[in-house]
Amino acid sequence: MVLVGTFLVLSGCEKAVDSTTPTARVGVGNSANIGRYLAFTDRAEFEEAVHNIDDLLPEETVDGHLAQWEEQHGNFYSMRKKHAEAAANGDSTACPIEDDYFAAVVSPEGTVQIADRIYRLDFAQRRIYHIPANRANELYDRMVSNPDSEEIKYYYFDEAALDLITTEDQGTSALVIRIGLGSGFGCGNGAERRVDDDYDYLANNLRMKCNAEYQKFGIYFSLLAKVKLQKRTLGIWFSKEACMGIIPDPGAFWREKCLNYTNYYNAFIGNSCNDNKAVKRYHESTRGLDKYQISVKFETGNFKSRRYYINQ
């Protein structure tokens, strides 16, 4: 698998050169899966991988494409794969990462190595912990299960961790609690609406799970719209394949931090019809956005959802 592209990296919006394909590395966990994470040589390699991972062929399904990507990367057991297996068995527990492409890059424990640091996502606290990779034998399990060391640092999901890590700000010790950044700033019309998700029912046993969201994870930020079709059988909601689409109303725009231009996308997005979802990732980066908006509807057959809307 060849990955190509040039990305804005490092603090101050510099450009990076292309790098090599990432490899799966076995870490220091206590079971067959815990501690197994992808290791990227540097930020440029990580950005390259997450940028190109959504390069689907027209007939490919999202999960089929990502399963092949994981297999090509050391048969990597990802957070996406863990939740896909659980969903196939009727487990309705949602994956904490709505972005399937990023969920394929992190381990079930939410860990990934970038350069000389290992990062772990804590969804409950909205923190991203990190440790030196050369101290994984000592600190990895503690970071995953119970961060309790002065050497384990954290940023909040809202913060651009890969920019901050290159400065004197190495984050806050896991032993220290500080007031975190909120998910919405301002008030009234100035407040941030970061997620709009709901179910639109076609029938009592058929529904669309609709989502428009700006996700922040410290090392990765993405703007996406997503719809999944689900059918209820014996009281359990299972995924169902169908033709689905994302209708611009009027669409999406966004402006990345450190850049002074705005991007727009107002085209219809359809799936391959043999898939149980349709996904449009409008933007992804390791830095985040200054401004954004998504305004879309979702459809399957003759059914159209309400308008889903987020903005900042």
Side-chain angles (χ1 to χ4, degrees), residues 19-271:
S19 54
T20 57
T21 302
T23 57
R25 175 175 298 171
V26 177
V28 292
N30 294 321
S31 74
N33 293 325
I34 294 178
R36 192 164 185 259
Y37 49 85
L38 285 181
F40 296 89
T41 303
D42 52 28
R43 179 176 180 173
E45 184 180 70
F46 173 73
E47 288 181 318
E48 190 172 357
V50 296
H51 181 74
N52 288 293
I53 195 173
D54 66 352
D55 188 17
L56 276 70
L57 297 174
E59 69 276 8
E60 281 189 304
T61 66
V62 174
D63 284 335
H65 171 80
L66 292 176
Q68 184 179 31
W69 189 93
E70 291 156 351
E71 182 179 355
Q72 292 171 342
H73 293 74
N75 199 25
F76 177 53
Y77 189 79
S78 70
M79 180 177 289
R80 182 211 67 84
K81 186 173 183 178
K82 175 186 176 182
H83 282 271
E85 291 176 348
N89 292 320
D91 187 340
S92 61
T93 304
C95 179
I97 300 176
E98 194 68 43
D99 185 332
D100 300 75
Y101 303 111
F102 184 51
V105 174
V106 299
S107 75
E109 294 73 44
T111 57
V112 62
Q113 180 178 335
I114 304 171
D116 61 354
R117 312 293 296 186
I118 301 174
Y119 298 88
R120 178 235 166 181
L121 304 171
D122 182 335
F123 302 101
Q125 300 293 328
R126 291 189 59 78
R127 296 176 178 179
I128 180 163
Y129 293 97
H130 63 90
I131 59 173
N134 61 6
R135 299 189 63 186
N137 289 334
E138 173 189 355
L139 297 174
Y140 183 89
D141 285 348
R142 293 163 67 183
M143 179 178 69
V144 167
S145 59
N146 183 30
D148 60 355
S149 170
E150 179 72 27
E151 288 81 7
I152 301 174
K153 309 288 186 181
Y154 71 86
Y155 301 108
Y156 283 106
F157 279 3
D158 305 78
E159 300 174 299
L162 297 183
D163 283 335
L164 293 172
I165 201 71
T166 64
T167 70
E168 294 182 358
D169 183 357
Q170 297 296 292
T172 303
S173 165
L175 299 179
V176 177
I177 299 176
R178 66 181 172 96
I179 298 176
L181 300 174
S183 60
F185 301 96
C187 56
N189 293 332
E192 178 183 17
R193 181 177 177 84
R194 190 176 57 83
V195 57
D196 188 3
D197 61 346
D198 202 355
Y199 293 101
D200 275 87
Y201 285 80
L202 292 72
N204 288 335
N205 67 335
L206 198 63
R207 68 185 185 184
M208 291 195 303
K209 184 179 186 297
C210 306
N211 180 274
E213 187 164 354
Y214 174 44
Q215 291 207 310
K216 307 177 182 181
F217 296 115
I219 58 172
Y220 177 88
F221 301 79
S222 71
L223 186 69
L224 76 153
K226 177 178 176 180
V227 57
K228 296 179 66 175
L229 188 64
Q230 297 177 327
K231 184 177 181 179
R232 184 167 56 189
T233 303
L234 300 176
I236 300 175
W237 289 97
F238 293 96
S239 296
K240 177 177 174 58
E241 293 76 20
C243 295
M244 286 173 279
I246 302 171
I247 307 169
D249 186 24
F253 75 80
W254 62 95
R255 186 177 70 208
E256 186 177 353
K257 293 179 180 178
C258 293
L259 301 179
N260 59 6
Y261 59 87
T262 302
N263 297 274
Y264 297 87
Y265 194 96
N266 59 2
F268 172 84
I269 298 296
N271 70 347

